[in-house]
Amino acid sequence: MTASGVTPYAQLRQDLAQRDKSLREKVVTLEEAASFVPDGASVGLGGSTMSRTPMAMIWQLMRARKKGLTCSRSIISTDGDLLFGSGICDHIITSWFAQGILWGLSKVMRHHVENGSANYEEWSHMAVGMRFRAGGMGVPFLPIRSMLGSDVLRIRPEAKEIDCPFTGEKLLLVPALNPDVALIHVQRCDAYGNAQMDGLQFMDIDLAMAAKRVILTTERIVSNDQIRRAPDQTKIPFFCVDAVVEVPYGSAPHECYGLYEPMMKHMSQYVAQVNKAPVEGMREYLEKYVYGPASWNEYLSLIGLEEILEASQRGRSIYND
Amino acid sequence: MTEAHRYTATEILAILSARQLKDGQVVFAGVGIPLLAATLAQRLRCPGLTILFEGGVVGAFVEPGKLPPSTNDQRCTKRANMVLGSTDVLLLLQRGYVDIGFMGGAQIDQFGNLNSSFIGDPAHPKTRLPGTGGGNDISSLTNMIVAMKHEKRRFVEQVDFITSPGFLRGGTSRADSGLPAGGMFRVITELAVFGFDDAERRMKVLALNPGVSREEVQDNTGFDLVFDAQNAITEPPTEHELSTLRMLDPERLFTA
């Protein structure tokens, strides 16, 4: 890694040359997938805000008591709270960090950032996207025309202002971001990792291309024949993917397009609890919902059948005319 | 019933903001009042208004009573023309396809710069706010409408931190900084509609809301506003505007 945080091209190529890119089955358990994420890793998170959050994988990383992770995401929500609150991550790269617009500021984020125990590295939304895109393109930077003149740039010395060699205009170069591991939740994929996403893709395709490893969690594993019947729906190719975990409701309590909307009762209860007591409230939440349950299914049953059914009914209604 | 009791502060914000939009425009809307106001404009008189959301949505038609809790939720895609990746929908701004950017604001200054990142020193903030999201990109790349509550602590001479650029330090400083396109167009509050003068680029009162005096606007503002000799008065919200707005947000998610 260079001083700018950009991975040297030779290193990127070498890492990829050593990856097993063959068409092979990669289905593992959540516990096994967590072993792909070493302490101190840079972790890219798929989805955005309350949508297609790789929550089950984050949940498993907290249970595995990971340490020193740096996480990047387009926009981060309660998953960012959990990452800071559990102590597994002390640095988040994103453009917006709160539980959701309905609830105002995140007291959990504020607690950890204002007391200096964690760092929220702010970039513009497009800058985060162009950093993943540069990473996915195998170039060290991309030029953009936002952030210029603002204080968002003033506190981001990693970005470089230049005069365009063709036009002389001011442009901003944002450095490539190639996370060590990407965690992406999708509606379906096959055992090889050919992933199909419905609805909003956010930055996930660039993230998958940029990352040095990709762990997919999926609502369901389908056959390779089924993937091949609609290859135009495949958004992430198998050779980017290192592990596949089947986790129904793997984004809960956030949404997964076409399947379930956010579980708002659980979300509101969570926000009330942790914003009232960012440390103690979070500790109790983690005990009850993260460390306590024997399995992801047991966690889901704590959220409750009624709420999950309501969220599913709303989720599926997107396809109603 | 008095004029002031016919509607809430957020309702007049949404209605006056909706009036600023024109049929046929492409508008990039943030969550909350902007999403609601753009949807209201679409229902009232701009059926050909194309709404973009940062989640990747092109041409949204949000359903009444099903307002999305963010611009990254599935509800944003209902009856849309297209879904793109988030980076690609933001790049439409950079390419120049977007006529109007439309956002809320937490703190604004006399040159229309917005702060949604820090209260106090960024190195040791008193309050760490959520940050820019798409705000910096939208305000850097297109003409902006900002809808926000009018309070003295929100209307300050100089913001603590420029998250989303307005006219920076006024004059030509925005273009000089590498932002040749766009800039602040309108600021809408429950007290008045504001624009920016052409030379200095300072905030200027264009019209007072019904029942609001110049003194009331100035007293709630932390810097000296520019006024014309004779100020226009905005037409009050019509019953049709109010009933359509309430039909869109029956649970008062964004118009509490």
Side-chain angles (χ1 to χ4, degrees):
Chain A
M1 188 103 60
T2 60
S4 62
V6 175
T7 308
Y9 186 54
Q11 183 72 50
L12 280 179
R13 292 295 299 253
Q14 196 186 337
D15 287 350
L16 206 44
Q18 285 166 358
R19 258 165 105 179
D20 180 354
K21 295 180 285 296
S22 63
L23 192 70
R24 64 194 165 90
E25 294 201 3
K26 297 157 188 169
V27 180
V28 296
T29 63
L30 267 183
E31 290 82 354
E32 287 165 333
S35 71
F36 285 61
V37 183
D39 287 344
S42 143
V43 180
L45 304 172
S48 183
T49 325
M50 292 191 287
S51 296
R52 263 189 325 89
T53 308
M55 197 64 90
M57 203 61 236
I58 292 170
W59 180 84
Q60 187 58 44
L61 295 178
M62 294 189 287
R63 288 159 68 89
R65 313 276 176 166
K66 296 289 175 183
K67 288 186 191 71
L69 304 180
T70 291
C71 293
S72 48
R73 195 177 190 212
S74 55
I75 284 180
I76 207 155
S77 162
T78 58
D79 46 321
D81 279 4
L82 296 172
L83 288 164
F84 278 173
S86 65
I88 69 169
C89 163
D90 55 13
H91 188 149
I92 287 179
I93 299 167
T94 189
S95 68
W96 197 86
F97 190 161
Q99 291 138 348
I101 191 88
L102 301 176
W103 301 292
L105 309 183
S106 163
K107 293 276 175 61
V108 178
M109 179 274 275
R110 285 193 55 193
H111 172 82
H112 291 277
V113 173
E114 289 168 20
N115 76 12
S117 64
N119 184 11
Y120 160 19
E121 179 183 325
E122 180 176 343
W123 294 77
S124 84
H125 198 191
M126 189 170 79
V128 175
M130 294 295 267
R131 294 192 64 193
F132 285 139
R133 182 155 297 175
M137 289 171 69
V139 293
F141 63 81
L142 278 172
I144 64 171
R145 294 180 186 272
S146 63
M147 280 176 65
L148 290 160
S150 74
D151 290 327
V152 182
L153 174 58
R154 187 171 56 80
I155 61 166
R156 287 273 70 80
E158 304 90 340
K160 304 292 179 200
E161 213 177 300
I162 59 145
D163 296 326
C164 171
F166 299 104
T167 64
E169 295 165 293
K170 278 190 183 165
L171 294 172
L172 187 70
L173 309 184
V174 296
L177 186 51
N178 292 95
D180 296 326
V181 191
L183 314 179
I184 299 175
H185 185 71
V186 299
Q187 283 87 357
R188 61 193 169 278
C189 69
D190 66 13
Y192 308 134
N194 287 299
Q196 301 192 334
M197 280 185 262
D198 298 325
L200 298 164
Q201 298 154 21
F202 306 110
M203 299 176 180
D204 292 6
I205 300 171
D206 289 326
L207 171 60
M209 297 295 170
K212 297 165 192 170
R213 294 275 180 283
V214 175
I215 300 173
L216 286 184
T217 53
T218 181
E219 292 288 328
R220 62 190 178 115
I221 294 175
V222 299
S223 71
N224 180 248
D225 283 342
Q226 184 168 340
I227 294 290
R228 286 177 194 269
R229 278 197 289 275
D232 56 316
Q233 300 299 305
T234 305
K235 308 296 182 192
I236 297 172
F238 70 94
F239 48 69
C240 288
V241 175
D242 301 89
V244 170
V245 192
E246 190 172 41
V247 198
Y249 291 92
S251 286
H254 291 181
E255 85 170 24
C256 185
Y257 193 100
L259 296 173
Y260 46 96
E261 282 198 349
M263 295 157 196
M264 292 305 256
K265 282 189 200 125
H266 182 86
M267 290 288 286
S268 292
Q269 279 167 13
Y270 160 83
V271 170
Q273 179 173 335
V274 298
N275 280 358
K276 194 171 152 204
V279 175
E280 190 54 24
M282 175 58 82
R283 197 190 60 74
E284 285 169 13
Y285 182 86
L286 292 170
E287 262 329 307
K288 180 170 176 187
Y289 289 99
V290 178
Y291 308 132
S295 65
W296 179 254
N297 288 356
E298 200 173 305
Y299 158 82
L300 292 176
S301 45
L302 288 174
I303 292 177
L305 185 61
E306 193 179 331
E307 170 132 54
I308 289 176
L309 288 178
E310 279 175 17
S312 304
Q313 190 180 22
R314 285 185 277 115
R316 295 172 194 186
S317 76
I318 196 77
Y319 293 123
N320 297 352
D321 278 335
Chain B
M1 193 186 274
T2 62
E3 185 62 23
H5 290 120
R6 284 178 55 233
Y7 43 81
T8 66
T10 44
E11 283 178 336
I12 194 169
L13 273 185
I15 288 167
L16 298 193
S17 303
R19 288 182 189 171
Q20 297 288 335
L21 300 172
K22 296 190 180 75
D23 203 19
Q25 282 181 326
V26 179
V27 57
F28 202 113
V31 75
I33 294 287
L35 179 153
L36 184 58
T39 304
L40 178 65
Q42 222 174 25
R43 304 275 162 171
L44 289 172
R45 24 165 218 95
C46 309
L49 186 72
T50 296
I51 302 176
L52 310 185
F53 292 131
E54 71 178 8
V57 181
V58 177
F61 263 95
V62 169
E63 281 188 289
K66 288 196 172 174
L67 300 177
S70 85
T71 48
N72 292 276
D73 283 69
Q74 67 168 20
R75 290 180 182 191
C76 294
T77 67
K78 192 72 184 183
R79 298 191 61 224
N81 287 309
M82 186 181 192
V83 290
L84 283 168
S86 301
T87 308
D88 295 293
V89 81
L90 290 158
L91 286 169
L92 295 175
L93 286 157
Q94 185 165 282
R95 178 66 178 82
Y97 281 107
V98 181
D99 298 303
I100 294 283
F102 191 1
M103 283 165 43
Q107 191 187 48
I108 193 165
D109 69 19
Q110 58 184 331
F111 297 117
N113 301 305
L114 292 163
N115 175 19
S116 58
S117 300
F118 298 94
I119 303 294
D121 175 8
H124 306 281
K126 182 167 157 282
T127 307
R128 184 56 161 112
L129 302 172
T132 157
N136 176 284
D137 304 308
I138 302 169
S139 65
S140 294
L141 298 167
T142 191
N143 298 309
M144 289 288 294
I145 300 175
V146 174
M148 61 184 287
K149 286 238 172 88
H150 204 128
E151 295 168 18
K152 203 161 194 165
R153 65 187 181 102
R154 293 176 184 276
F155 277 69
V156 297
E157 188 164 2
Q158 193 178 356
V159 288
D160 291 350
F161 186 90
I162 300 178
T163 307
S164 301
F167 291 108
L168 296 177
R169 292 161 305 284
T172 61
S173 60
R174 178 183 166 100
D176 297 343
S177 299
L179 304 175
M184 280 291 148
F185 173 59
R186 293 287 182 269
V187 177
I188 315 285
T189 79
E190 69 274 33
L191 299 182
V193 174
F194 304 86
F196 292 82
D197 75 63
D198 288 340
E200 282 190 280
R201 300 298 199 174
R202 289 181 60 220
M203 200 185 291
K204 177 183 169 173
V205 177
L206 295 182
L208 297 168
N209 291 358
V212 175
S213 68
R214 281 184 182 217
E215 291 70 29
E216 192 177 352
V217 180
Q218 183 61 69
D219 287 350
N220 284 286
T221 304
F223 53 88
D224 289 338
L225 286 162
V226 181
F227 286 90
D228 284 331
Q230 191 89 43
N231 272 121
I233 308 289
T234 298
E235 287 296 316
T238 65
E239 281 309 315
H240 184 50
E241 285 173 321
L242 281 167
S243 62
T244 308
L245 179 66
R246 288 166 187 165
M247 178 269 293
L248 291 172
D249 189 10
E251 293 166 19
R252 298 203 167 232
L253 206 58
F254 299 135
T255 48

Short mmCIF file of all heavy atoms in Angstrom, two decimals, chain B residues 220-243:
data_model
loop_
_atom_site.label_atom_id
_atom_site.label_comp_id
_atom_site.label_asym_id
_atom_site.label_seq_id
_atom_site.Cartn_x
_atom_site.Cartn_y
_atom_site.Cartn_z
N ASN B 220 -34.87 36.75 12.46
CA ASN B 220 -34.60 35.31 12.54
C ASN B 220 -33.39 34.90 11.70
O ASN B 220 -33.17 33.72 11.44
CB ASN B 220 -35.83 34.51 12.11
CG ASN B 220 -36.88 34.50 13.19
OD1 ASN B 220 -36.74 33.82 14.21
ND2 ASN B 220 -37.93 35.31 13.02
N THR B 221 -32.62 35.91 11.26
CA THR B 221 -31.49 35.65 10.38
C THR B 221 -30.23 36.24 10.99
O THR B 221 -30.25 37.37 11.48
CB THR B 221 -31.76 36.29 8.99
OG1 THR B 221 -32.98 35.78 8.49
CG2 THR B 221 -30.63 36.02 8.01
N GLY B 222 -29.14 35.48 10.98
CA GLY B 222 -27.90 35.88 11.64
C GLY B 222 -26.99 36.76 10.80
O GLY B 222 -25.81 36.91 11.11
N PHE B 223 -27.48 37.29 9.69
CA PHE B 223 -26.68 38.21 8.86
C PHE B 223 -27.65 39.19 8.20
O PHE B 223 -28.86 38.97 8.21
CB PHE B 223 -25.87 37.44 7.80
CG PHE B 223 -26.68 36.51 6.95
CD1 PHE B 223 -27.29 36.95 5.78
CD2 PHE B 223 -26.88 35.17 7.32
CE1 PHE B 223 -28.05 36.10 5.00
CE2 PHE B 223 -27.64 34.32 6.55
CZ PHE B 223 -28.23 34.78 5.38
N ASP B 224 -27.10 40.27 7.62
CA ASP B 224 -27.95 41.29 7.00
C ASP B 224 -28.44 40.80 5.65
O ASP B 224 -27.64 40.51 4.77
CB ASP B 224 -27.18 42.60 6.82
CG ASP B 224 -26.94 43.28 8.17
OD1 ASP B 224 -27.70 42.98 9.11
OD2 ASP B 224 -25.99 44.07 8.27
N LEU B 225 -29.75 40.74 5.52
CA LEU B 225 -30.35 40.30 4.25
C LEU B 225 -30.46 41.47 3.28
O LEU B 225 -30.56 42.62 3.69
CB LEU B 225 -31.75 39.75 4.52
CG LEU B 225 -31.81 38.37 5.17
CD1 LEU B 225 -33.19 38.13 5.78
CD2 LEU B 225 -31.48 37.27 4.16
N VAL B 226 -30.46 41.15 2.00
CA VAL B 226 -30.70 42.16 0.97
C VAL B 226 -32.22 42.18 0.70
O VAL B 226 -32.82 41.12 0.49
CB VAL B 226 -29.94 41.80 -0.33
CG1 VAL B 226 -30.17 42.87 -1.39
CG2 VAL B 226 -28.45 41.61 -0.05
N PHE B 227 -32.82 43.38 0.78
CA PHE B 227 -34.25 43.52 0.48
C PHE B 227 -34.42 44.47 -0.71
O PHE B 227 -33.66 45.44 -0.83
CB PHE B 227 -35.00 44.16 1.67
CG PHE B 227 -35.20 43.24 2.84
CD1 PHE B 227 -34.25 43.17 3.86
CD2 PHE B 227 -36.35 42.46 2.95
CE1 PHE B 227 -34.43 42.34 4.95
CE2 PHE B 227 -36.53 41.63 4.05
CZ PHE B 227 -35.58 41.57 5.05
N ASP B 228 -35.42 44.24 -1.54
CA ASP B 228 -35.81 45.25 -2.53
C ASP B 228 -36.63 46.32 -1.83
O ASP B 228 -37.14 46.10 -0.73
CB ASP B 228 -36.67 44.61 -3.64
CG ASP B 228 -35.81 43.80 -4.59
OD1 ASP B 228 -34.63 44.15 -4.76
OD2 ASP B 228 -36.32 42.82 -5.16
N ALA B 229 -36.78 47.50 -2.49
CA ALA B 229 -37.57 48.59 -1.90
C ALA B 229 -38.98 48.11 -1.58
O ALA B 229 -39.54 48.38 -0.53
CB ALA B 229 -37.60 49.77 -2.86
N GLN B 230 -39.56 47.38 -2.51
CA GLN B 230 -40.93 46.88 -2.33
C GLN B 230 -40.86 45.36 -2.45
O GLN B 230 -40.44 44.85 -3.48
CB GLN B 230 -41.82 47.44 -3.44
CG GLN B 230 -43.29 47.22 -3.24
CD GLN B 230 -43.92 48.35 -2.45
OE1 GLN B 230 -43.61 49.51 -2.70
NE2 GLN B 230 -44.77 48.01 -1.51
N ASN B 231 -41.26 44.64 -1.39
CA ASN B 231 -41.19 43.19 -1.47
C ASN B 231 -42.49 42.59 -1.96
O ASN B 231 -43.57 43.03 -1.57
CB ASN B 231 -40.84 42.57 -0.12
CG ASN B 231 -39.34 42.49 0.07
OD1 ASN B 231 -38.81 43.05 1.01
ND2 ASN B 231 -38.67 41.81 -0.84
N ALA B 232 -42.37 41.59 -2.81
CA ALA B 232 -43.55 40.84 -3.24
C ALA B 232 -44.04 39.97 -2.08
O ALA B 232 -43.28 39.64 -1.16
CB ALA B 232 -43.17 39.96 -4.42
N ILE B 233 -45.32 39.66 -2.11
CA ILE B 233 -45.91 38.75 -1.11
C ILE B 233 -46.35 37.49 -1.84
O ILE B 233 -47.07 37.56 -2.85
CB ILE B 233 -47.15 39.39 -0.43
CG1 ILE B 233 -46.83 40.78 0.12
CG2 ILE B 233 -47.70 38.46 0.66
CD1 ILE B 233 -45.93 40.82 1.33
N THR B 234 -45.93 36.35 -1.33
CA THR B 234 -46.29 35.07 -1.95
C THR B 234 -47.78 34.78 -1.77
O THR B 234 -48.33 35.06 -0.71
CB THR B 234 -45.44 33.96 -1.29
OG1 THR B 234 -44.07 34.23 -1.56
CG2 THR B 234 -45.81 32.59 -1.82
N GLU B 235 -48.38 34.24 -2.80
CA GLU B 235 -49.79 33.79 -2.69
C GLU B 235 -49.87 32.67 -1.66
O GLU B 235 -49.03 31.76 -1.67
CB GLU B 235 -50.27 33.24 -4.04
CG GLU B 235 -50.53 34.31 -5.08
CD GLU B 235 -51.66 35.23 -4.67
OE1 GLU B 235 -52.70 34.72 -4.19
OE2 GLU B 235 -51.49 36.47 -4.80
N PRO B 236 -50.85 32.70 -0.77
CA PRO B 236 -50.95 31.63 0.24
C PRO B 236 -51.25 30.28 -0.40
O PRO B 236 -51.77 30.22 -1.52
CB PRO B 236 -52.12 32.08 1.13
CG PRO B 236 -52.82 33.15 0.39
CD PRO B 236 -51.88 33.73 -0.61
N PRO B 237 -50.92 29.20 0.29
CA PRO B 237 -51.25 27.87 -0.21
C PRO B 237 -52.75 27.75 -0.48
O PRO B 237 -53.56 28.23 0.31
CB PRO B 237 -50.83 26.94 0.93
CG PRO B 237 -49.82 27.70 1.70
CD PRO B 237 -50.21 29.14 1.58
N THR B 238 -53.08 27.14 -1.60
CA THR B 238 -54.50 26.94 -1.92
C THR B 238 -54.99 25.66 -1.23
O THR B 238 -54.20 24.81 -0.82
CB THR B 238 -54.70 26.78 -3.43
OG1 THR B 238 -54.04 25.58 -3.84
CG2 THR B 238 -54.13 27.97 -4.20
N GLU B 239 -56.32 25.54 -1.14
CA GLU B 239 -56.88 24.32 -0.56
C GLU B 239 -56.46 23.10 -1.37
O GLU B 239 -56.21 22.03 -0.83
CB GLU B 239 -58.42 24.43 -0.51
CG GLU B 239 -58.93 25.28 0.64
CD GLU B 239 -58.34 24.87 2.00
OE1 GLU B 239 -58.28 23.66 2.30
OE2 GLU B 239 -57.89 25.76 2.75
N HIS B 240 -56.40 23.28 -2.68
CA HIS B 240 -56.02 22.17 -3.56
C HIS B 240 -54.57 21.72 -3.28
O HIS B 240 -54.27 20.53 -3.20
CB HIS B 240 -56.20 22.58 -5.03
CG HIS B 240 -55.93 21.48 -6.00
ND1 HIS B 240 -56.49 20.22 -5.88
CD2 HIS B 240 -55.14 21.44 -7.10
CE1 HIS B 240 -56.06 19.46 -6.88
NE2 HIS B 240 -55.24 20.17 -7.64
N GLU B 241 -53.69 22.70 -3.13
CA GLU B 241 -52.29 22.36 -2.80
C GLU B 241 -52.20 21.63 -1.48
O GLU B 241 -51.51 20.60 -1.34
CB GLU B 241 -51.44 23.64 -2.75
CG GLU B 241 -51.12 24.23 -4.11
CD GLU B 241 -50.44 25.58 -4.03
OE1 GLU B 241 -50.81 26.41 -3.15
OE2 GLU B 241 -49.55 25.87 -4.86
N LEU B 242 -52.93 22.14 -0.48
CA LEU B 242 -52.88 21.53 0.86
C LEU B 242 -53.47 20.12 0.86
O LEU B 242 -52.90 19.20 1.44
CB LEU B 242 -53.62 22.41 1.87
CG LEU B 242 -52.85 23.64 2.36
CD1 LEU B 242 -53.78 24.59 3.10
CD2 LEU B 242 -51.70 23.22 3.27
N SER B 243 -54.60 19.96 0.19
CA SER B 243 -55.24 18.63 0.23
C SER B 243 -54.42 17.61 -0.54
O SER B 243 -54.32 16.45 -0.14
CB SER B 243 -56.68 18.71 -0.29
OG SER B 243 -56.67 19.13 -1.64
#
